[in-house]
Amino acid sequence: ANSGSEANEKVFKIVRQIPHKRYGGKKHKILYRERDYHGGTIGTMSAGGQSERVAQYEPLAPGFVPVPHCLEYRAQWDLSGEAYGERAAQAIEEVILREGPDTVGALCLEPITAGGGVILPPPGYWQRVQDICARHDILLHIDEVVCGIGRTGTWFGYEHYGLRPDFVTLAKGVASGYAAIGLTVTTEKVFDMFKDDAS
């Protein structure tokens, strides 16, 4: 793609396409986290957790649902450390259960929230989030546009947490700013969902 916004849009399109092939069109919602940023198109702004960036652009696209952030400094619960991380992950599951797991197709998150405050997730957060996604058959989309290509000390930010995402999106560092390029990467599992498509 030409940008991180477009790379993320491609994930959203894939997530919306899968339920038409497998779930009768129902498992189409995309969850996103407060304070995260995913781009400047209408679709990616619909998955943007920074209200100041979407002001004056509503109405946004339907089917995007926020989940609470995991920033301890702006604590939402009287907890800290691993207990806070587990509670923040539990809050995601509460949204999934409220919306209906059979309607939620993907969870879109930055591995480390960048523009929303450079927020390192608390201990225990990411493993619990991955377990929740697996339990409810929800695809995990990690937006590495800011954190990827060595910016956090590993090739990808998600590597710090032992994650196995279904989608990874990249841009910026891929060409060191010399070219407009973005990438949408997925797993063989997701790719295989389209192998029977005759159209």
Side-chain angles (χ1 to χ4, degrees):
N2 293 310
S3 66
S5 296
E6 289 176 77
N8 286 328
E9 287 271 2
K10 196 172 296 289
V11 173
F12 301 161
K13 288 170 70 177
I14 293 170
V15 170
R16 293 281 172 93
Q17 192 175 3
I18 289 171
H20 289 284
K21 299 172 66 59
R22 296 182 171 262
Y23 304 107
K26 194 173 182 187
K27 203 170 172 68
H28 69 276
K29 292 178 187 172
I30 296 166
L31 306 186
Y32 65 92
R33 185 171 55 198
E34 296 168 353
R35 306 186 74 90
D36 280 10
Y37 175 73
H38 301 294
T41 63
I42 289 294
T44 54
M45 283 195 297
S46 300
Q50 298 173 20
S51 59
E52 59 275 14
R53 290 188 189 260
V54 302
Q56 301 182 38
Y57 295 110
E58 292 96 347
L60 299 174
F64 291 87
V65 181
V67 299
H69 63 75
C70 61
L71 175 59
E72 288 185 80
Y73 182 75
R74 304 277 185 211
Q76 301 164 100
W77 306 281
D78 187 20
L79 300 165
S80 62
E82 190 164 345
Y84 191 91
E86 290 183 357
R87 181 64 187 90
Q90 180 187 339
I92 293 175
E93 187 165 32
E94 289 167 1
V95 173
I96 292 168
L97 294 174
R98 184 192 73 215
E99 295 292 322
D102 60 333
T103 71
V104 178
L107 173 63
C108 175
L109 303 172
E110 292 181 279
I112 297 167
T113 299
V118 188
I119 302 165
L120 292 169
Y125 178 78
W126 270 120
Q127 187 55 54
R128 184 88 184 268
V129 167
Q130 184 161 266
D131 292 345
I132 289 166
C133 287
R135 183 161 58 251
H136 296 294
D137 190 24
I138 293 170
L139 298 170
L140 180 58
H141 168 198
I142 302 296
D143 178 350
E144 291 275 3
V145 170
V146 173
C147 297
I149 316 299
R151 288 186 171 188
T152 65
T154 56
W155 272 110
F156 305 106
Y158 74 80
E159 292 179 286
H160 292 291
Y161 309 106
L163 297 174
R164 298 177 306 280
D166 298 287
F167 298 100
V168 174
T169 45
L170 303 160
K172 299 188 193 315
V174 173
S176 299
Y178 289 105
I181 186 170
L183 304 171
T184 301
V185 184
T186 191
T187 61
E188 292 289 338
K189 171 188 168 185
V190 172
F191 180 76
D192 286 346
M193 294 181 185
F194 293 88
K195 281 188 174 178
D196 61 348
D197 190 355
S199 59

